[in-house]
Amino acid sequence: MNNKEIPYKIYLEESEMPKQWYNVRADMKNKPAPLLNPGTHQPMTLSELEQVFCTELAKQELDDTTPYFDIPQEIQEFYKMYRPSPLVRAYCLEKKLGTPAKIYYKFEGNNTSGSHKLNSAIAQAYYAKKQGLKGVTTETGAGQWGTALSMACSYFDLDCKVYMVKCSYEQKPFRREVMRTYGASVTPSPSETTEVGKKILAQHPGTTGSLGCAISEAVEVATQTEGYRYVLGSVLSQVLLHQTVIGLETKTALDKYGITPDIIIGCAGGGSNLGGLVSPFVGEMLRGEKNYQVIAVEPASCPSLTRGKYAYDFCDTGMVCPLAKMYTLGSGFIPSANHAGGLRYHGMSSVLSQLYDDGLMEARSVEQTSVFAAAQQFARIEGILPAPESSHAIRVAIDEALKCKETGEEKTIVFGLTGTGYFDMYAYQAFNDGKMSDYIPTDEDLKPGFDSLPKID
Amino acid sequence: MNNKEIPYKIYLEESEMPKQWYNVRADMKNKPAPLLNPGTHQPMTLSELEQVFCTELAKQELDDTTPYFDIPQEIQEFYKMYRPSPLVRAYCLEKKLGTPAKIYYKFEGNNTSGSHKLNSAIAQAYYAKKQGLKGVTTETGAGQWGTALSMACSYFDLDCKVYMVKCSYEQKPFRREVMRTYGASVTPSPSETTEVGKKILAQHPGTTGSLGCAISEAVEVATQTEGYRYVLGSVLSQVLLHQTVIGLETKTALDKYGITPDIIIGCAGGGSNLGGLVSPFVGEMLRGEKNYQVIAVEPASCPSLTRGKYAYDFCDTGMVCPLAKMYTLGSGFIPSANHAGGLRYHGMSSVLSQLYDDGLMEARSVEQTSVFAAAQQFARIEGILPAPESSHAIRVAIDEALKCKETGEEKTIVFGLTGTGYFDMYAYQAFNDGKMSDYIPTDEDLKPGFDSLPKID
């Protein structure tokens, strides 16, 4: 198929869509370290995990040997409503940059949640429904995950309680309304509805909240309400598993046209998109079949991979969640409020952390004004207004394409365009008005986070 | 191909995309009445029209005999960035409604402008560029057209001056920022930058503007600035021509699977989407080849087809534009501010007006709370958060599907889903909070509009 003309957008047929998710842990020689009980520091057992998570999801979380999981039929049907997502050849961008590189992006923004988050939300809602639960709780920062989960819960007629980081709740009333339109209840966090929320409010009156704090609230409600469980939109291995639908579709589309990427790029917050995109490719690397340059891109203001420590840490501020070994800035790290995009989580998926530690992936940190410059450039040339998160990947994709221009190399670059920026116009406005600034934490700024790391023997 | 299983989404191959637009006027026995010079009441000539519009577009406007126009290669290439748009089989909606009807929708929202408007914006920008112009001016209400034009101008490196109805400018700062991100200048209308704006502000201090007024300002700037022309997003025959890409793709997709629709439904403001969707089908009716039930859906608060008069009228409040014969409520009609969606233009495409007058199309008016109820239902079931405008079509599609449930008829319903509602969350919020009300103008309310109609012999 090498001679086939490559269209602007490669859409798979429905019959070509993945029927299984791929669990990259099965191919990893160095497995990610297990989750630990925050009290005993012993590996979490299924019976402990299923107090917090749906049982099937807890099983997926713990399973690092099964390479493929069947995608239940109901989820496959839901996927067909908004998938397959297009793999787009960025012809216009290539031309504008004058690069010999070939640029592709897997665009996950063509659904109402506006991002890839829906891929895991529908899976988690499905298992909750199957277990006979009444509802689920979760946290949301920028609002993409909360929106995705609201949509998924509405589809399966499940109650959905979202704890939304207070500053986002106030700055993004439209996101909140989308969630409400899908029937979710949305509470600004920290709130008076939970013990942990009250405690945080007492300690930090006037706080505008954080993801770690919202997680703690959502977990508290889930574990103390009959018929509820907690669900999470990133970081966890189960989420990466569901998100492999991105990478599997990408790989099928590339294979169909005989294309082999040289560089694969994704933005990295908790790691769900990046992990989902790169897993099938990293699997080939792990099995010694192929080699790719895999690049994680994170904000310079929250550099968990490039400046974090590889250590066990709390996933949440309230320290009620299991401990995970990951590249982390420490749960006590306060992300800069000046950073407009998402990707502000202090830690990183333990799967990706291990792959990074093993040298299978590299990481770059980028500053936000350069990210928004790339976002604007991309929007004007390729017609899609990208989410600030996704624009981190765009920045590095453009940088790599410009390197090719210098060297004359015809590299094939694939990056993940996780979503759209329609609800991020405050940030764009700041950029349009020249009022956006950069922030790189000093070593001093990072110290409180590192000091908050638990001591694990 | 009748036995082929119909996927959730029918995507055409790039090679199957239309290479020509279809001019339905060529097949009309009763041609739409010509545009008249507002001063002389004589049919507008090319040399008059090209003072306002790009020359090629003025030619398209006047041409009611050429059935097909080649789509220039550059526009075809741009179309490939976001087209073909999917024709979606609403399996989930059908199931939820329990209807034997088969429901399809042509979804035009998967691009950053959020609607079908981009189909004509890119064409108009192309002809402006080809003519060597510096830029174009336009008006925008809800902001979809302004966004689309900003994107198109950015692509061709043209200056873009948008006059945005003041109430939208204030209520939709995010739309404004999207336009600015694409490099457009956005001015709230009425403004002090034009003579007509100053005049309207003097007469109605504190006015929040109207589409008719913004048109007048944009036309004034275009005709008085060297190297500029005015472009319009709806109503005009040239716009309908470009929008036939919607209907042509729809028809090709249906034909591919051997599907013949019984009912075709579209929302109708100025008529660009509806005209574009139905033209190829109406063409078959005009040529006596087939028969369809074609339904235009308009808001009960602005009922130009169902309660308007078929008469020559001004297209704008300032009365600087040519006169068009159309179903109209009169340029003096003040659309209700309580109506949240678009579709608030006082008139209707002269092509659609003539087809309606000839009985080739029917019209329904619907109230906004029932429209938002349909929008919410659709969002929850089909996963797409629709624009309020599009939701008028959803309302009637659901109504027709429920009729089929009663009668047991297995009708095939196709409707146009013109766009997404991400920038309409104020309206959704009002609906979510139970604060949305309906408004049906009394005959008394309609009187000032009808009184404003010009006397043409």
Side-chain angles (χ1 to χ4, degrees):
Chain A
M1 292 254 216
N2 277 309
N3 296 325
K4 215 166 168 179
E5 196 184 335
I6 295 161
Y8 275 72
K9 298 191 293 317
I10 306 176
Y11 277 110
L12 300 180
E13 301 287 326
E14 280 182 6
S15 57
E16 296 170 307
M17 287 170 67
K19 291 174 183 59
Q20 296 183 310
W21 293 303
Y22 167 63
N23 183 11
V24 70
R25 290 172 292 170
D27 282 314
M28 290 169 73
K29 272 161 222 90
N30 299 326
K31 306 285 182 192
L35 294 173
L36 299 186
N37 181 306
T40 65
H41 292 187
Q42 293 302 305
M44 291 289 284
T45 63
L46 178 60
S47 65
E48 287 171 335
L49 263 188
E50 66 185 358
Q51 306 302 311
V52 181
F53 301 118
C54 304
T55 305
E56 270 313 306
L57 293 164
K59 284 183 191 166
Q60 292 178 358
E61 193 63 33
L62 294 172
D63 189 335
D64 59 9
T65 55
T66 305
Y68 288 96
F69 285 81
D70 288 342
I71 304 176
Q73 195 59 40
E74 290 91 330
I75 299 175
Q76 288 192 42
E77 293 301 313
F78 188 89
Y79 278 168
K80 286 179 192 165
M81 286 212 291
Y82 70 100
R83 308 196 67 81
S85 70
L87 180 70
V88 186
R89 173 75 183 267
Y91 281 118
C92 295
L93 182 63
E94 291 171 15
K95 198 172 156 191
K96 192 81 171 187
L97 296 176
T99 177
K102 293 168 184 66
I103 308 173
Y104 295 84
Y105 55 92
K106 180 69 169 168
F107 181 43
E108 292 287 317
N110 275 349
N111 70 74
T112 288
S113 83
S115 81
H116 66 294
K117 296 284 182 181
L118 196 52
N119 301 329
S120 182
I122 193 63
Q124 298 195 47
Y126 166 80
Y127 290 115
K129 186 69 180 179
K130 208 180 151 206
Q131 195 172 326
L133 298 178
K134 287 183 204 156
V136 292
T137 70
T138 199
E139 78 297 328
T140 199
Q144 292 180 327
W145 167 247
T147 308
L149 190 68
S150 304
M151 292 175 66
C153 286
S154 158
Y155 186 76
F156 284 123
D157 206 16
L158 278 171
D159 185 40
C160 180
K161 297 184 195 299
V162 179
Y163 283 84
M164 187 170 187
V165 177
K166 194 181 273 174
C167 64
S168 292
Y169 183 90
E170 286 161 1
Q171 277 182 12
K172 300 197 169 188
F174 292 171
R175 275 276 188 208
R176 188 181 72 209
E177 287 309 319
V178 178
M179 290 184 254
R180 288 184 68 210
T181 299
Y182 282 92
S185 73
V186 188
T187 307
S189 167
S191 75
E192 297 282 350
T193 65
T194 65
E195 291 309 312
V196 66
K198 284 180 201 166
K199 196 172 141 195
I200 291 166
L201 282 170
Q203 284 170 351
H204 308 280
T207 176
T208 54
S210 73
L211 216 43
C213 163
I215 294 176
S216 300
E217 290 203 87
V219 170
E220 182 183 315
V221 173
T223 51
Q224 296 183 7
T225 314
E226 178 68 29
Y228 280 75
R229 289 294 185 283
Y230 167 69
V231 297
L232 180 63
S234 191
V235 184
L236 296 174
S237 301
Q238 56 183 275
V239 179
L240 260 70
L241 177 71
H242 308 145
Q243 293 295 357
T244 57
V245 68
I246 304 172
L248 292 164
E249 279 186 12
T250 302
K251 199 161 170 351
T252 304
L254 291 171
D255 287 349
K256 211 170 156 177
Y257 286 86
I259 304 159
T260 304
D262 298 292
I263 309 176
I264 306 169
I265 301 165
C267 62
S272 72
N273 153 68
L274 180 68
L277 173 64
V278 306
S279 275
F281 300 95
V282 169
E284 293 183 298
M285 292 168 79
L286 288 164
R287 295 189 302 270
E289 297 163 8
K290 281 200 180 151
N291 210 13
Y292 305 102
Q293 184 181 9
V294 176
I295 308 174
V297 190
E298 60 184 13
S301 63
C302 192
S304 46
L305 285 170
T306 51
R307 294 175 69 196
K309 293 190 174 161
Y310 192 31
Y312 267 105
D313 193 12
F314 298 102
C315 295
D316 62 324
T317 313
M319 305 179 182
V320 297
C321 290
L323 297 166
K325 189 176 178 193
M326 53 187 180
Y327 275 85
T328 180
L329 298 166
S331 65
F333 174 75
I334 313 281
S336 161
N338 115 320
H339 189 79
L343 314 181
R344 291 194 293 175
Y345 187 64
H346 65 274
M348 178 60 60
S349 145
S350 58
V351 174
L352 293 180
S353 292
Q354 187 60 47
L355 292 171
Y356 179 59
D357 208 55
D358 287 340
L360 286 149
M361 187 175 93
E362 52 190 276
R364 306 240 176 109
S365 75
V366 290
E367 294 177 47
Q368 73 173 342
T369 52
S370 76
V371 166
F372 274 83
Q376 188 193 66
Q377 185 179 17
F378 184 82
R380 293 185 179 185
I381 298 167
E382 287 286 317
I384 294 171
L385 187 86
E389 295 80 359
S390 326
S391 305
H392 288 70
I394 297 174
R395 173 72 277 160
V396 171
I398 290 176
D399 291 346
E400 290 296 319
L402 291 175
K403 274 188 213 166
C404 288
K405 187 177 179 179
E406 276 181 32
T407 62
E409 288 173 290
E410 294 184 23
K411 285 188 181 172
T412 295
I413 299 168
V414 174
F415 72 90
L417 189 69
T418 55
T420 50
Y422 307 140
F423 292 94
D424 300 286
M425 296 316 297
Y426 276 124
Y428 273 97
Q429 182 170 6
F431 181 75
N432 292 337
D433 291 341
K435 288 181 181 160
M436 180 173 278
S437 59
D438 289 320
Y439 167 74
I440 302 178
T442 62
D443 288 343
E444 198 61 30
D445 294 332
L446 295 181
K447 197 169 173 299
F450 292 140
D451 288 346
S452 73
L453 287 171
K455 307 284 172 280
I456 309 284
D457 304 319
Chain B
M1 294 254 215
N2 277 309
N3 296 324
K4 216 167 170 179
E5 196 183 335
I6 294 161
Y8 276 72
K9 297 190 291 321
I10 305 176
Y11 278 109
L12 300 180
E13 301 286 327
E14 280 181 6
S15 57
E16 296 169 309
M17 287 171 66
K19 292 174 183 58
Q20 295 183 310
W21 294 303
Y22 167 63
N23 183 12
V24 70
R25 290 172 293 171
D27 280 315
M28 290 170 73
K29 271 161 222 92
N30 300 326
K31 305 286 182 193
L35 294 173
L36 299 185
N37 181 307
T40 65
H41 293 187
Q42 293 302 305
M44 291 288 286
T45 62
L46 178 60
S47 65
E48 286 171 334
L49 263 189
E50 66 184 357
Q51 305 304 311
V52 181
F53 301 118
C54 304
T55 304
E56 271 313 305
L57 293 165
K59 285 183 190 165
Q60 292 178 358
E61 193 64 34
L62 295 173
D63 188 335
D64 58 10
T65 55
T66 306
Y68 288 96
F69 285 82
D70 288 342
I71 304 175
Q73 194 60 37
E74 290 91 328
I75 300 175
Q76 287 191 43
E77 293 300 313
F78 188 88
Y79 278 167
K80 286 179 193 167
M81 286 214 290
Y82 71 100
R83 307 197 68 83
S85 70
L87 180 70
V88 186
R89 173 75 183 268
Y91 281 118
C92 295
L93 183 62
E94 291 171 16
K95 199 173 154 190
K96 192 81 172 187
L97 296 175
T99 177
K102 293 169 185 64
I103 309 174
Y104 294 84
Y105 54 91
K106 180 69 168 169
F107 181 43
E108 293 287 317
N110 274 349
N111 70 75
T112 287
S113 82
S115 80
H116 67 292
K117 296 284 182 181
L118 196 52
N119 302 329
S120 183
I122 193 64
Q124 298 195 45
Y126 167 79
Y127 290 115
K129 186 70 181 180
K130 208 179 148 205
Q131 195 173 327
L133 299 178
K134 287 181 203 156
V136 293
T137 71
T138 199
E139 79 298 327
T140 198
Q144 292 180 328
W145 167 247
T147 309
L149 189 68
S150 304
M151 292 175 65
C153 285
S154 157
Y155 186 76
F156 283 123
D157 206 16
L158 277 171
D159 185 39
C160 179
K161 296 184 196 297
V162 179
Y163 283 84
M164 186 170 188
V165 178
K166 194 181 272 174
C167 63
S168 292
Y169 182 90
E170 286 162 2
Q171 277 180 13
K172 300 197 170 189
F174 292 171
R175 275 278 188 208
R176 186 181 75 207
E177 287 309 319
V178 179
M179 290 184 255
R180 287 184 67 210
T181 299
Y182 282 92
S185 72
V186 188
T187 307
S189 167
S191 76
E192 298 282 351
T193 66
T194 65
E195 291 309 314
V196 66
K198 284 180 202 165
K199 196 172 143 197
I200 291 166
L201 281 172
Q203 283 169 351
H204 308 280
T207 175
T208 55
S210 73
L211 216 44
C213 163
I215 294 175
S216 299
E217 289 203 86
V219 170
E220 181 183 316
V221 173
T223 50
Q224 296 182 8
T225 314
E226 179 69 29
Y228 280 75
R229 288 295 185 283
Y230 168 69
V231 297
L232 180 62
S234 191
V235 184
L236 296 174
S237 302
Q238 58 185 270
V239 178
L240 260 70
L241 176 72
H242 308 146
Q243 293 294 359
T244 58
V245 69
I246 304 172
L248 293 164
E249 279 187 11
T250 302
K251 199 160 173 349
T252 304
L254 291 170
D255 287 349
K256 210 170 157 177
Y257 286 85
I259 305 159
T260 305
D262 297 293
I263 309 177
I264 306 168
I265 301 166
C267 62
S272 72
N273 153 68
L274 180 69
L277 174 65
V278 306
S279 276
F281 299 94
V282 169
E284 292 183 299
M285 292 169 78
L286 288 164
R287 296 189 302 270
E289 296 163 6
K290 280 201 179 149
N291 210 12
Y292 305 100
Q293 185 181 8
V294 176
I295 308 175
V297 190
E298 60 184 13
S301 63
C302 192
S304 45
L305 284 171
T306 52
R307 295 176 68 195
K309 293 192 174 160
Y310 192 30
Y312 266 105
D313 193 13
F314 298 101
C315 295
D316 62 324
T317 313
M319 305 179 180
V320 298
C321 289
L323 297 166
K325 190 176 177 192
M326 54 188 177
Y327 275 85
T328 180
L329 299 165
S331 65
F333 174 74
I334 312 281
S336 160
N338 114 322
H339 190 78
L343 314 181
R344 292 196 292 176
Y345 187 64
H346 65 274
M348 178 59 61
S349 144
S350 58
V351 173
L352 291 181
S353 291
Q354 186 61 46
L355 291 172
Y356 179 59
D357 207 57
D358 288 340
L360 286 150
M361 186 175 94
E362 51 190 278
R364 305 242 177 107
S365 74
V366 289
E367 294 176 47
Q368 73 173 343
T369 53
S370 77
V371 165
F372 273 84
Q376 188 192 66
Q377 184 178 17
F378 184 82
R380 292 185 180 186
I381 299 167
E382 286 286 319
I384 294 170
L385 187 86
E389 295 80 359
S390 326
S391 304
H392 287 70
I394 296 174
R395 174 72 274 160
V396 170
I398 290 177
D399 290 346
E400 290 296 319
L402 290 175
K403 274 188 213 164
C404 288
K405 187 179 180 178
E406 277 182 32
T407 62
E409 288 173 289
E410 294 184 24
K411 287 187 180 173
T412 296
I413 300 169
V414 174
F415 72 90
L417 188 70
T418 54
T420 50
Y422 307 142
F423 293 93
D424 300 285
M425 295 316 297
Y426 276 124
Y428 273 97
Q429 183 170 7
F431 181 75
N432 291 337
D433 290 340
K435 288 180 180 159
M436 180 174 277
S437 60
D438 288 320
Y439 167 74
I440 302 178
T442 62
D443 287 345
E444 198 59 30
D445 294 332
L446 294 182
K447 196 169 174 299
F450 291 141
D451 288 347
S452 73
L453 286 171
K455 308 283 172 280
I456 309 283
D457 305 318

